[in-house]
């Protein structure tokens, strides 16, 4: 059995892989959307719909995370984002994609991402002793920008 610090490293590693995959999906959809429509407006509305859930109900997510099992929240968050990506892939492959579908899916993915992020933050805090929190939090804070660099390269 892993101790809390190694469990936190493992959690951060898996969350980093998930984040890279999500960022790769976003890049691929952006490129495809621009090539298909030739318009940047559709592309620029995606971050808006992704962040609306955090803006509106982000402050309540901690309440739900405290009441539910964090592990379940992490799994649901990752699974929900993956299902959204799969629906987008199917809609593009079978040619029934539309911008409203993209916005609906990224809105839902924003909810799942908010759930996952809050659960991961609280889980890492609970797993690690106070003297190791600075190091773990430093690594955690590097994941988003690092995934932004790695995703386009991959």
């Amino acid at each position: 059995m892993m101790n809390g610090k190694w469990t936190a490293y493992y959690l951060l590693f898996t969350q980093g892989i998930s984040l890279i995959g999500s960022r790769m999906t976003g890049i691929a959809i952006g490129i495809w959307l621009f090539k298909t429509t030739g318009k940047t407006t559709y592309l620029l509305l995606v971050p808006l719909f992704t962040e609306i859930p955090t803006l509106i109900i982000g402050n309540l997510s901690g309440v739900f995370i405290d009441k539910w099992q964090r592990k379940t929240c992490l799994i649901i968050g990752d699974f929900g984002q993956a299902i959204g990506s799969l629906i987008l892939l199917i809609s593009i492959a079978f040619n029934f994609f539309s911008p409203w579908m993209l916005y609906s899916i990224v809105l839902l993915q924003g909810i799942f991402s908010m759930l996952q992020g809050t659960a991961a933050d609280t889980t890492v805090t609970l797993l690690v002793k106070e003297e190791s929190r600075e190091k773990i939090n430093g690594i955690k804070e590097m994941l988003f920008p690092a995934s932004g660099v790695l995703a386009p390269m991959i």
Side-chain angles (χ1 to χ4, degrees):
M1 177 123 192
M2 290 192 268
N3 68 19
K5 182 173 147 182
W6 289 108
T7 304
Y9 283 129
Y10 179 73
L11 175 64
L12 290 176
F13 176 75
T14 57
Q15 292 300 303
I17 297 297
S18 173
L19 194 53
I20 289 170
S22 296
R23 304 269 314 243
M24 286 172 61
T25 301
I27 291 166
I29 288 173
I31 291 169
W32 181 85
L33 193 59
F34 183 73
K35 279 182 78 173
T36 304
T37 65
K39 297 181 182 180
T40 56
T41 305
Y42 296 131
L43 179 61
L44 295 174
L45 287 174
V46 170
L48 172 71
F49 284 99
T50 302
E51 298 301 328
I52 283 176
T54 304
L55 181 67
I56 295 175
I57 59 173
N59 57 344
L60 297 175
S61 65
V63 174
F64 295 113
I65 299 300
D66 287 339
K67 292 182 187 268
W68 301 336
Q69 287 188 350
R70 287 171 183 83
K71 182 178 180 180
T72 304
C73 293
L74 287 167
I75 292 168
I76 290 171
D78 267 340
F79 186 73
Q81 291 179 70
I83 291 297
S85 296
L86 184 62
I87 292 170
L88 284 175
L89 176 68
I90 291 168
S91 70
I92 291 169
F94 291 103
N95 208 22
F96 62 89
F97 174 84
S98 65
W100 70 266
M101 180 182 284
L102 173 64
Y103 302 143
S104 301
I105 289 171
V106 297
L107 185 72
L108 284 172
Q109 284 182 319
I111 293 170
F112 288 119
S113 176
M114 177 188 59
L115 180 72
Q116 176 197 31
T118 305
D121 289 347
T122 57
T123 301
V124 167
T125 301
L126 293 173
L127 285 173
V128 178
K129 293 178 184 173
E130 192 169 339
E131 60 267 10
S132 299
R133 284 193 189 139
E134 285 183 25
K135 185 176 184 180
I136 295 291
N137 282 333
I139 293 168
K140 183 174 60 79
E141 291 302 316
M142 286 179 12
L143 288 178
F144 189 77
S147 67
V149 171
L150 293 173
M153 289 184 344
I154 295 172

